[in-house]
């Protein structure tokens, strides 16, 4: 195993924990950028070009018949191969958008055109029917083959609490998904849920390996129990002409790890790199996994010569580049309050190219998460990385990514401008209420379709905030409270009584005075 430092001259601000890498015939592509794609690269997919230990991101394009692919963080991905190498596709399910919304969609990515300078992808979206899995992240999806048929298998992950359980104080809380196993027919888009008694807890950020009709689930984190059980499950799927049969077996010899990176070094061997064994402690040990004759064996192996920066860093993140290579990132100078530097490394676990088995694929949930997206010390989700990017130097005009053309991407999720006088700034924000940990308290305005506003910007007392969060009454923000009052039914007012025209005539004599009488009356009063 060899560890090499990667120099980056153009500060890669788009690379954040939760990104994914795809390997098409040795070419690596990046997606899951920070923020929404802009005109410089509307697809949000980049060629991850590493030459002579120097990294460049070059924009990739989509075919005209492609759908839009949002920049998803922590999705489940896997490789789906047809009868030939040209039919190789990446399957992408779930993940988080830059606005911290969860996706329940499934996408297929394939290469339709490739030349020396650029690659054209086709991205298609498949609608699911039946037992559709809820939107989630930190889960896994794999492909199994049985009796000449194939099926997708989805398991684990986290999701937001149901809307009827979300209060203002816990508006962004996540929970474990139910430990159901979903079979997905990629051709017809039909999903079926299976409950297996061996799977008692929901798991996320685990490692999964698929071989023929079998999937191995290793490690993971249970949010409900806050544990990383040393579990090892074997799930077998039989696809006869009738209904599929799914069974699960608990195997000995598992390891306790979450957010690990899995890479394949040959047809029967895989290596686990990175991850966490406790809430804030990295797992520095590497393991080799052998699959042979229907058995799985896990052993510790000699670790790389980790640099002092990696050893002393509390966190790390990365993804599998394919061909036995792992891309790792750690924050820079931890002594500074705000670090804008990243150190990147490329770990080669095998010097030889991998001759991939057509029916052996890997998947893992490998990256850590921003601190604003979760509570502190939630599994692999307590960390934030940011950097300013100036430009992406390219070899030609097309391959140049100009970060100066982009707008500020930091205003996402709860870091929003909730009103005209909003002064909540991601760079200067400090807790205001005792109930706040690492994110601003927000409250839901019921006007129209509803929207979230900062409680501090609404001048709410903490007692009022807690009272509103516990109740079910509607709340209207400062900008919409007058509109809401105007919409209320006005009190009934009796109509004005207008006197009839006849009564007005009775007040006078009804006679017209002659000029002589007018003159007489004037002299009389004078």
């Amino acid at each position: 195993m060899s560890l090499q430092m990667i120099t980056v001259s153009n500060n890669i601000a788009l690379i954040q924990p939760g990104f994914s890498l795809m390997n098409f015939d040795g070419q690596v592509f990046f997606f899951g950028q920070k923020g929404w794609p802009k005109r410089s690269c509307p697809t949000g997919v980049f060629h991850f070009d590493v030459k002579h230990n120097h990294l460049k991101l070059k924009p990739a394009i989509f075919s005209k018949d492609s759908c839009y692919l949002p920049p998803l963080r922590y999705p489940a991905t896997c490789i789906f191969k047809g009868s030939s190498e040209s039919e190789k596709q990446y399957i992408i399910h779930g993940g988080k958008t830059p606005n911290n919304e969860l996706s329940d969609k499934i996408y297929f990515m394939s290469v339709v055109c490739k030349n020396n300078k650029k690659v054209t992808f086709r991205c298609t979206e498949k609608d699911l029917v039946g037992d559709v899995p809820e939107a989630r992240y930190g889960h896994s999806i794999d492909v199994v083959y049985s009796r000449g048929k194939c099926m997708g298998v989805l398991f684990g992950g986290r999701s937001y609490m149901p809307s009827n359980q979300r209060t203002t104080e816990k508006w962004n809380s996540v929970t474990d998904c139910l430990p159901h196993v979903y079979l997905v027919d990629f051709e017809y888009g039909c999903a079926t849920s299976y409950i297996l008694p061996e799977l008692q807890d929901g798991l996320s950020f685990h490692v999964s390996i698929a071989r023929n009709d079998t999937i191995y689930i290793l490690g993971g984190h249970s949010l409900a129990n806050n544990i990383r059980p040393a579990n090892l499950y074997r799930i077998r799927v039989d696809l006869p002409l009738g209904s599929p049969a799914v069974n699960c077996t608990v195997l000995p010899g598992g390891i306790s790890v979450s957010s690990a990176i899995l890479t394949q070094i040959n047809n029967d061997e895989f290596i686990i790199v990175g991850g966490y064994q406790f809430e804030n402690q990295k797992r520095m040990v590497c393991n080799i996994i052998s699959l042979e004759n229907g058995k799985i064996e896990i052993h510790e192996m000699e670790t790389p010569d980790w640099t002092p920066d990696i050893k002393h860093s509390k966190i790390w993140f990365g993804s599998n580049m394919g061909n036995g290579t792992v891309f790792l990132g750690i924050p820079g100078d931890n002594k500074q309050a705000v670090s804008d530097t990243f150190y990147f490394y490329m770990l080669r676990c095998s010097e030889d190219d991998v001759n991939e088995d057509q029916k052996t694929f890997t998947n893992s949930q490998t990256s850590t998460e921003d601190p604003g997206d979760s509570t502190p010390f939630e599994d692999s989700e307590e960390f934030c990385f940011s950097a300013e990017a100036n430009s992406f130097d390219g070899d030609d005009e097309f391959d140049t990514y100009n970060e100066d053309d982009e707008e500020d991407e930091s205003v996402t999720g709860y870091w929003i401008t909730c009103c005209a006088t909003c002064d909540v700034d991601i760079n200067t924000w400090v807790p205001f209420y005792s109930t706040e940990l690492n994110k601003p308290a927000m409250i839901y305005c019921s006007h129209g379709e509803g929207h979230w506003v900062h409680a501090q910007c609404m001048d709410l007392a903490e007692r009022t905030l807690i009272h509103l969060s516990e109740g079910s009454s509607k709340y209207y923000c400062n900008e919409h409270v007058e509109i809401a009052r105007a919409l209320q039914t006005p009190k009934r007012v009796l109509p004005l009584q207008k006197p009839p025209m006849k009564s007005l005539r009775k007040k006078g004599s009804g006679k017209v005075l002659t000029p002589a009488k007018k003159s007489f009356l004037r002299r009389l009063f004078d």
Side-chain angles (χ1 to χ4, degrees), residues 334-382:
N334 295 322
K335 296 179 182 179
Q336 299 179 4
V338 178
S339 175
D340 59 355
T341 304
F342 288 89
Y343 299 150
F344 294 101
Y345 294 88
M346 193 164 62
L347 176 64
R348 298 184 184 273
C349 302
S350 175
E351 298 298 333
D352 301 329
D353 292 337
V354 178
N355 180 19
E356 293 181 308
D357 184 354
Q358 176 176 308
K359 296 183 180 180
T360 304
F361 311 112
T362 66
N363 182 28
S364 61
Q365 301 72 42
T366 59
S367 297
T368 61
E369 197 172 314
D370 303 316
D373 298 343
S374 61
T375 56
F377 300 108
E378 186 177 320
D379 177 57
S380 302
E381 297 180 352
E382 59 270 37

Side-chain angles (χ1 to χ4, degrees), residues 19 54 220 234 276 304 420 462 526:
F19 72 91
H54 182 76
R234 181 181 62 200
Y276 299 86
E462 185 167 15
D526 290 340

Side-chain angles (χ1 to χ4, degrees), residues 426-501:
I426 184 175
N427 299 314
T428 60
W429 178 84
V430 293
F432 182 79
Y433 302 98
S434 62
T435 54
E436 294 175 330
L437 294 174
N438 61 344
K439 53 181 176 288
M442 301 192 76
I443 190 166
Y444 193 75
C445 175
S446 300
H447 176 67
E449 296 182 356
H451 64 97
W452 289 95
V453 292
H454 300 122
Q456 183 177 350
C457 295
M458 298 298 107
D459 296 325
L460 292 178
E462 185 167 15
R463 180 180 299 179
T464 304
L465 173 64
I466 297 176
H467 173 73
L468 291 172
S469 67
E470 293 174 347
S472 58
S473 59
K474 291 185 178 182
Y475 169 81
Y476 294 92
C477 69
N478 297 343
E479 294 184 352
H480 294 138
V481 63
E482 296 298 334
I483 300 177
R485 290 173 181 170
L487 294 177
Q488 295 178 357
T489 304
K491 296 182 179 180
R492 185 178 178 181
V493 179
L494 296 176
L496 296 175
Q497 294 290 340
K498 294 184 178 181
M501 297 299 295

Side-chain angles (χ1 to χ4, degrees), residues 72-76 93-97 101-104 136-139:
L72 300 168
R73 297 178 298 137
Y74 320 104
H93 178 271
K96 280 189 174 184
T97 70
E101 298 173 347
L102 300 186
S103 171
D104 61 352
R136 61 188 67 198
Y137 70 100
H139 55 301

Side-chain angles (χ1 to χ4, degrees), residues 126-365:
K126 189 74 173 181
D127 293 328
L128 296 180
V129 296
D131 301 329
V132 180
E134 64 178 321
R136 61 188 67 198
Y137 70 100
H139 55 301
S140 64
I141 188 170
D142 299 275
V143 182
V144 293
Y145 297 83
S146 173
R147 304 176 186 264
K149 296 187 292 184
C150 66
M151 193 79 71
V153 180
L154 187 147
F155 173 73
R158 290 177 184 163
S159 180
Y160 286 127
M161 295 178 62
S163 58
N164 58 352
Q165 300 179 16
R166 297 171 69 183
T167 62
T168 299
E169 187 176 353
K170 300 185 298 183
W171 74 277
N172 202 25
S173 298
V174 293
T175 183
D176 294 319
C177 294
L178 295 175
H180 295 175
V181 175
Y182 293 87
L183 293 189
V184 181
D185 189 324
F186 294 135
E187 182 179 0
Y188 300 103
C190 182
T192 308
S193 174
Y194 292 83
I195 301 176
L196 306 179
E198 294 80 6
L199 301 174
Q200 294 294 325
D201 299 317
L203 294 172
S204 56
F205 297 102
H206 55 273
V207 173
S208 65
I209 307 175
R211 166 66 62 92
N212 297 327
D213 63 349
T214 303
I215 294 176
Y216 297 95
I217 303 294
L218 178 67
H221 179 257
S222 174
L223 187 62
N225 303 320
N226 193 23
I227 59 174
R228 294 160 183 78
N231 53 38
L232 178 59
Y233 300 105
R234 181 181 62 200
I235 300 176
R236 281 183 172 167
V237 180
D238 187 18
L239 302 176
L241 294 178
S243 300
V246 183
N247 64 77
C248 179
T249 304
V250 181
L251 302 178
I255 60 176
S256 176
V257 64
S258 63
S259 297
I261 305 172
L262 185 74
T263 187
Q264 184 174 2
I265 56 176
N266 58 51
N267 289 343
D268 300 317
E269 291 183 326
F270 306 82
I271 291 181
I272 293 180
V273 178
Y276 299 86
Q277 57 186 6
F278 298 108
E279 290 179 345
N280 57 352
Q281 182 176 346
K282 304 196 310 294
R283 190 175 189 274
M284 307 299 295
V285 178
C286 296
N287 295 86
I288 185 168
I289 301 177
S290 300
L291 295 179
E292 194 172 1
N293 299 326
K295 297 181 179 180
I296 181 172
E297 296 183 357
I298 305 174
H299 303 284
E300 289 190 8
M301 60 179 299
E302 183 180 357
T303 59
D305 187 13
W306 301 119
T307 65
D309 291 328
I310 294 179
K311 291 180 180 179
H312 297 151
S313 175
K314 293 184 179 180
I315 59 174
W316 51 3
F317 64 101
S319 186
N320 176 31
M321 298 180 65
N323 295 339
T325 304
V326 171
F327 183 78
L328 292 172
I330 62 172
D333 188 2
N334 295 322
K335 296 179 182 179
Q336 299 179 4
V338 178
S339 175
D340 59 355
T341 304
F342 288 89
Y343 299 150
F344 294 101
Y345 294 88
M346 193 164 62
L347 176 64
R348 298 184 184 273
C349 302
S350 175
E351 298 298 333
D352 301 329
D353 292 337
V354 178
N355 180 19
E356 293 181 308
D357 184 354
Q358 176 176 308
K359 296 183 180 180
T360 304
F361 311 112
T362 66
N363 182 28
S364 61
Q365 301 72 42

